[in-house]
Every structure is written in structure tokens, then in C-alpha cells.
Amino acid sequence: MLEIFKVASEEEVRVEADGLRRTVTEVFRKMGVPPEDCGLGADVLLSADLRGVETHGVSNMLRSYVNGYTSGSINPRPNWRILRETPSTANIDSDGGLGIIVTPKAMEIAIEKAAASGMGVVTIRNSGHLGMASYHAMMALEHDMIGVCMTACPPLVVPTYGAEPRLGTNPIALAAPADEEPPFVFDAAMCTVAANKVKLAQRVGAKLMPGWVTNPDGSPAMEAIDPPETDSMRDSDMSLLPLGSTRELGSHKGYGLTAIVEILGGIMSGGGIVGMANRGVFGHFVAAYSIEAFMDTAEFKSTMDEWLRLLASTKPAPGHDRVVYPGLPEFEEQNDRLSRGIPLHREVVDWFRSICEELSIPFELVRGTPS
Amino acid sequence: MLEIFKVASEEEVRVEADGLRRTVTEVFRKMGVPPEDCGLGADVLLSADLRGVETHGVSNMLRSYVNGYTSGSINPRPNWRILRETPSTANIDSDGGLGIIVTPKAMEIAIEKAAASGMGVVTIRNSGHLGMASYHAMMALEHDMIGVCMTACPPLVVPTYGAEPRLGTNPIALAAPADEEPPFVFDAAMCTVAANKVKLAQRVGAKLMPGWVTNPDGSPAMEAIDPPETDSMRDSDMSLLPLGSTRELGSHKGYGLTAIVEILGGIMSGGGIVGMANRGVFGHFVAAYSIEAFMDTAEFKSTMDEWLRLLASTKPAPGHDRVVYPGLPEFEEQNDRLSRGIPLHREVVDWFRSICEELSIPFELVRGTPS
């Protein structure tokens, strides 16, 4: 079972989703996570890897979660509980549990409330990282609902004209069902580029693009530069720029959007100013909208089909052959990776080999199908 | 009462808010709007002018509304009604009424539902322009709620890599109360720059900045160019770029955010694909979150104070003397304009003079206090 097939480059190998899923599930089990939650945690990570969102898949996140469990900063058996509740809202204390496991449970509550009252919104305080935000938003799709997920993160992003990071990367995700077309699934950090993309650039030796980060003096770096040499952006003298990069290009909008996530997911979770000094935990927000509460669901879904087709048939600008909508490339990527395997950097495979050895887990990464 | 005091430039005069408000109220009355709604319409416009949001104040919008009423495209006495309703949601048919008048009524419904059920969300189909979106969001503040407003607009914005406009400028507004500090109020179109800013550039003879619009071939114009010569962007060969401007700078995020507004405000209002061919009406979305449903309201507001002060005390980047948060400059501007008057372009004053004459309304624009 140790054979790994190299497909893309010297540095990349493809592995089958099933073996990776089993391995990740076992890692969670060894961290002390209850058996019924291990598969859920693995599913959130694998979903990111299958959809091509490497930044939030096993490569970047699992070792960070393992570090959190082993250092005690993440609680493997959280006694999470609802602190407040109304017909359409709830507030949860996650008891230091990992967000990838507590957030789906919160989303289930939001979906139940939406089914009963039209809308459901749940905020979560005192929680760890929630992985790919769109995972939780997409849970609404099978219920013919629109799902939303946001998460207020530790400070890495400067306000417009500011030289110090005051805001998290703070992703917003929204999933909306269509009838025949792949669903609309948006998921993006409200800075120009997600912090994990900087890590990825470090790992693969790529430059950071103009408009992504600040210079050490806090001004927007509008030329390509090397990523920081520190392990974490937080320890570097660079910060991320809000979406829009400069005031002239609209960075005050990206700044405002990160701030909205901080208010809804951070402050309104009751966890204090998430992301400020020594409050390095996350605050989450999930919501479900029952489409039937607003209009006929079948009509909504067929209108979505019509609209998504219109977007995807937009005449491309010179130099481009295709216009996509959010969720379409990820849907296609998932189909491809289910058949050909998930590409992992060799260094990630090496990490799996060593953590499996360390935890006495079978190393089950088997080759995918070559292209 | 005809005296107008020139303060800023050859082209700008300052007028007192009260006289402008009376004049605008009378204009609505002459358009056939019911008496109880005229003051509301004027309040939405004046609120924009007082907050320094000229693009959504009397200068750009009132004459467009007058044209709509006189051409019959806006219904002055709409029989708006609730089509569907749940404990936390409603869907309204606005019957072709102007959004600035119907949306506050929808927001009142959202606030009532939030008071009863924790959350309130209302979508509005078949409606006209709603003015400055943050007006409606800010209605939540006095109820110790967070207010949201979004509006799906006619197509002016290209998708990433697209050469045809498929999406509206689609603003998102959110207002959240603090205790002692001015409230957080975000309000921004999800393109790099609002369409009305292009109109404003036309009127004052300014260039459009790099990253704001496309070239005629659909590619992003990354150098400053003249605004289109046509009255409307829709008739020009330029489109607006989504926030982020280019793929490298994150335009897929701005694209996704405009699309989210289209889904929630447009498609989920049941009005079809708002903004596509021959469906040039707007779809609106308002929401209210009862803070008390999630946490102690006093704690939320004092945490907001702490956080807003932290943002405003961020060390500025080189070349800047101050960092602000969304809503702070508008709050300061409103105080200034209440005392010194609202600056209007002379051409706008001339329009008021002629419309007052045409409609037999007293011309009441009186001078503000000079600086």
C-alpha cells in the first residue's frame, strides 16, 4: 500500500481519496477525538483537497491541527453547548473544540431552525479553525437552502492606510443550489490572497504577487516579492492587504468586508475581539436560508440554472477562453480528483509517512490513476 | 430665499439641509407620491448628502427618480404587498415602487421579526432604486440590532475574464451599533468603483482611475482613462470591473460578491434574473439581527467601542496621518454638513431651479454657513 504514483512534477504525487481519508480519520482518532467525530473532521479536509482548495486541505491544515491537539490548544473532546437560543438563532460555546468538527453541528442547528422559521443563524465562540468555510455552507444545499459561513480569524490584514494588522483574513462562503447545473459555491478570504497561499508560496518557492502584502513599513507592496522567511505571517514584518490592495483600487471595501466578518462571526459570537492581542481563537458564523420561505424552490433552482449558464457563456476577454462561476471549477476538479487522485507535494507525503509511524497508524496513501 | 453662498470652488455651493429637504419633499409630492411617503423619500436622499455620499444624494438620483416617475417606469402609489411570510422572513412585491420608499417599510418588518424571532430577512422584487443602501441598514441601530441591506442592480460589471457585463454593481451595507463611538456603517458596491462615481467623474471632468473599468475589448483598463461620453455606462463600450480589478489582484472575489447579492437580493426575491436583458428592475434584500438573541447587548456595544477605537488608533502607513473605520468619516461629515451646509455642484442647483419652476414649487435652497 506504500506505492505512490508521480504524475505532475518531481515534487507532486497523486494519492487516492479513500486511503487519504482513512489515514486522516486515524490521525484524528489518535488525537483523542471521539470516534463519531473523526470521520467528520476527515471529510472537511478531504472535501477541500478534492475541490482543489489545497490551502485548506491536509497539506496545510492537518499538521497544524495535530500541533494544536498535542500542545493542548485544541480540545479533542469539547463539551460544546448552546448559550442562547431563539426560534431562528443560537449562540454556541465551542469549548475550545476544533471548528471543522463543531461548525457542521452548528450548521445542522441553523438548518433545523431555517426549516421551522425561515432562517437560521448560529454564532460560535471559543473555537478552533473551521477548515474550508464552504464545506459548512454547502451542507444547506441538500435541504434546498442557501448556506453561509464566515469565520473571524487572527490579525494578519492591515486596515486601509494602516501599518499594523488589525483584521483577520476572514473568509465569506455562500452556497446556493441550482437544478441541473453544479451549485454556486463562493468561498474567499476578504484579503487579496489567503494567508495559506503565502504558506503555499513558501513551500513551492514562488513569489508573492503585487498587491498581496505590505512592505515592512506598512505600505502596499505593488511589486512581486519573496514570501516572508518566518514560519508564520504573524512573526514576519509583512501583513496582508485587504481585497482591493490600495485605496484607489478599493481596499476600503475589502477592509470593510473583513470587518463585517469580525462583527458577525467574532464580536457577535460573544468571544470578545477575536483576533486581537492574545485572543488568537476564532469566531464563526453560519446561516441557512430556506428558499421556500421566500419563493417557490423549483422556480429558484431553474432560475439559478438559467443564470449560471448565462455567466458561463459570457464572451471571454482577449487572452482567455472561458468564463466560470464560483463553484464550477471546484466541481470539475472534484470529479477529476475522484478519478485520478489528489495531488500532494512530496514533502506532505513525507510528513504523512512520519506521523503515521509516530502514531502507529497504517500508511495508506495509494497511487491515483495517472493522467 | 434664493441666495446661495459659494464656498468651495467656482462650481460648488453650500445649501442648508432643511431647505433642501423641503424642496425634495415637494418634488416627490408633485410626482404623485402619497404625502406620508414624500418625507421618507427626502430623508433617504438627504441622509446620503449629509453623510457625504454625493453619488446617492440629490445630485445624481433625484432627477433620475423624476424621470422615472414622469416616464411611468416608477409607480408613485405602489400597492406593495407581502407574498410569503414566515416567523423570520418575508418576500414583498413592490409593485414597481421606488426602493427608497418601499425598502424602509421592508426593513421595519425585518426589525419586527428580529425582535420576535431573533432574525428578520425580507427580500423585495419588482422595485426601483433604493438610494444609499446603508440608510436601510442603519434603521436597525436604534433597536440595538445589526442591519444589512443589499441590492441587485442592472448589469454593468464583467465577470472575471469576461468581456460582457453580467452583474450589477450590487452594494452590500451593514450597520452595527457601538456604545460611545459612532456606529460602524459599511456601504460599498462590489465593483472597484460605483457606477455613480463614473457619472460624477463625467460631471466634474475627472479621469477614471486604473482598475475601475474595462477597455472596449473587455480587458481590464489598468491606466487612467476618460469616462465614457454616453449618458449611461450601459450605452457605452466600457464595463465596470469587479472589486479586485484583475484575477491576480482578486477580481474573482469581487465577482463572487456581486453574484452573492444577485442571488440573495435578485433571484431569491423571485423577480427573475434581475439585471439581465430587459429585466432592468432591482431586487432588494434587508436583514436585521437582534444582538440580544446572540449575547448581552451592552457587552456587544462596549466590545464594539473597544474594537473601533483600536482600528482608529492603528499606526498609519507612510504618507497617511490617520486610519478610519467604515462610518466614521461619514459621521464626521454629517456633523460638518449639518452646521456648514451641503455642497452642491452649481449645475445641480440650476437643475433644482428649473424643476422647481416647472413644478411650481418654491425654490428654497438657502446658503449654508461659510467655512
Side-chain angles (χ1 to χ4, degrees), chain B residues 171-320:
Chain B
I172 297 176
L174 183 141
D179 184 19
E180 296 173 354
E181 300 301 315
F184 176 96
V185 182
F186 175 75
D187 185 352
M190 289 300 107
C191 42
T192 307
V193 71
N196 284 347
K197 286 245 167 45
V198 175
K199 271 197 203 173
L200 196 63
Q202 284 181 322
R203 204 170 57 241
V204 303
K207 288 229 175 204
L208 304 178
M209 301 281 292
W212 286 11
V213 296
T214 66
N215 294 309
D217 69 1
S219 59
M222 296 309 284
E223 311 207 334
I225 57 171
D226 289 319
E229 289 176 7
T230 52
D231 257 8
S232 150
M233 281 291 288
R234 298 187 76 165
D235 305 324
S236 82
D237 54 6
M238 290 177 185
S239 299
L240 295 171
L241 291 170
L243 177 59
S245 304
T246 64
R247 177 63 177 81
E248 292 72 23
L249 288 170
S251 71
H252 56 300
K253 302 185 181 193
Y255 166 30
L257 290 163
T258 63
I260 282 177
V261 176
E262 172 63 24
I263 293 170
L264 294 177
I267 297 173
M268 201 172 72
S269 79
I273 309 177
V274 178
M276 296 306 155
N278 299 323
R279 300 200 229 185
V281 292
F282 296 83
H284 310 311
F285 172 104
V286 289
Y289 297 82
S290 163
I291 292 165
E292 195 65 25
F294 294 92
M295 64 182 292
D296 178 67
T297 301
E299 185 191 340
F300 176 91
K301 289 163 81 172
S302 68
T303 306
M304 283 292 293
D305 274 355
E306 184 190 353
W307 177 64
L308 295 174
R309 286 174 192 140
L310 188 72
L311 291 176
S313 65
T314 304
K315 181 185 155 196
H320 301 288

Side-chain angles (χ1 to χ4, degrees), chain A residues 84 88 117 163-164 292 315, chain B residues 84 88 117 163-164 292 315 317:
Chain A
R84 285 200 184 195
S88 66
S117 308
E164 297 171 295
E292 195 66 25
K315 181 185 155 196
Chain B
R84 285 200 184 197
S88 67
S117 308
E164 296 171 296
E292 195 65 25
K315 181 185 155 196

Side-chain angles (χ1 to χ4, degrees), chain A residues 83-91 113 116-123 125 146 148 150 159-167 172-174 176 184 186 188-194 209-212 217-220 222 243-245 248-260 262-264 267-273 276 279 285 287 289-297 299-300 303-304 306-307 310-318 320 322-326, chain B residues 83-91 113 116-123 125 146 148 150 159-167 172-174 176 184 186 188-194 209-212 217-220 222 243-245 248-260 262-264 267-273 276 279 285 287 289-297 299-300 303-304 306-307 310-318 320 322-326:
Chain A
L83 299 179
R84 285 200 184 195
E85 198 170 12
T86 73
S88 66
T89 68
N91 174 240
K113 288 183 181 290
S117 308
M119 272 295 301
V121 177
V122 182
T123 59
R125 65 176 75 173
I146 293 172
V148 177
M150 303 189 252
T160 297
Y161 294 156
E164 297 171 295
R166 291 292 197 212
L167 294 142
I172 297 176
L174 183 141
F184 175 97
F186 175 76
M190 289 300 107
C191 42
T192 306
V193 71
M209 301 280 293
W212 287 12
D217 68 1
S219 58
M222 296 309 286
L243 177 58
S245 303
E248 293 71 24
L249 288 170
S251 70
H252 55 301
K253 302 186 181 192
Y255 166 29
L257 291 162
T258 62
I260 282 176
E262 172 63 24
I263 292 170
L264 294 177
I267 297 174
M268 201 171 74
S269 79
I273 309 176
M276 297 305 155
R279 301 202 228 184
F285 172 105
Y289 296 83
S290 162
I291 292 165
E292 195 66 25
F294 294 91
M295 64 182 292
D296 178 68
T297 301
E299 185 192 339
F300 177 91
T303 307
M304 283 292 293
E306 185 190 352
W307 178 64
L310 188 71
L311 291 177
S313 65
T314 304
K315 181 185 155 196
H320 302 287
R322 184 187 182 205
V323 172
V324 296
Y325 62 81
Chain B
L83 299 178
R84 285 200 184 197
E85 197 170 13
T86 74
S88 67
T89 67
N91 174 240
K113 287 182 182 292
S117 308
M119 271 296 300
V121 177
V122 181
T123 59
R125 68 175 76 173
I146 293 173
V148 177
M150 302 189 254
T160 297
Y161 295 156
E164 296 171 296
R166 291 292 197 212
L167 294 143
I172 297 176
L174 183 141
F184 176 96
F186 175 75
M190 289 300 107
C191 42
T192 307
V193 71
M209 301 281 292
W212 286 11
D217 69 1
S219 59
M222 296 309 284
L243 177 59
S245 304
E248 292 72 23
L249 288 170
S251 71
H252 56 300
K253 302 185 181 193
Y255 166 30
L257 290 163
T258 63
I260 282 177
E262 172 63 24
I263 293 170
L264 294 177
I267 297 173
M268 201 172 72
S269 79
I273 309 177
M276 296 306 155
R279 300 200 229 185
F285 172 104
Y289 297 82
S290 163
I291 292 165
E292 195 65 25
F294 294 92
M295 64 182 292
D296 178 67
T297 301
E299 185 191 340
F300 176 91
T303 306
M304 283 292 293
E306 184 190 353
W307 177 64
L310 188 72
L311 291 176
S313 65
T314 304
K315 181 185 155 196
H320 301 288
R322 185 189 181 202
V323 173
V324 295
Y325 62 80

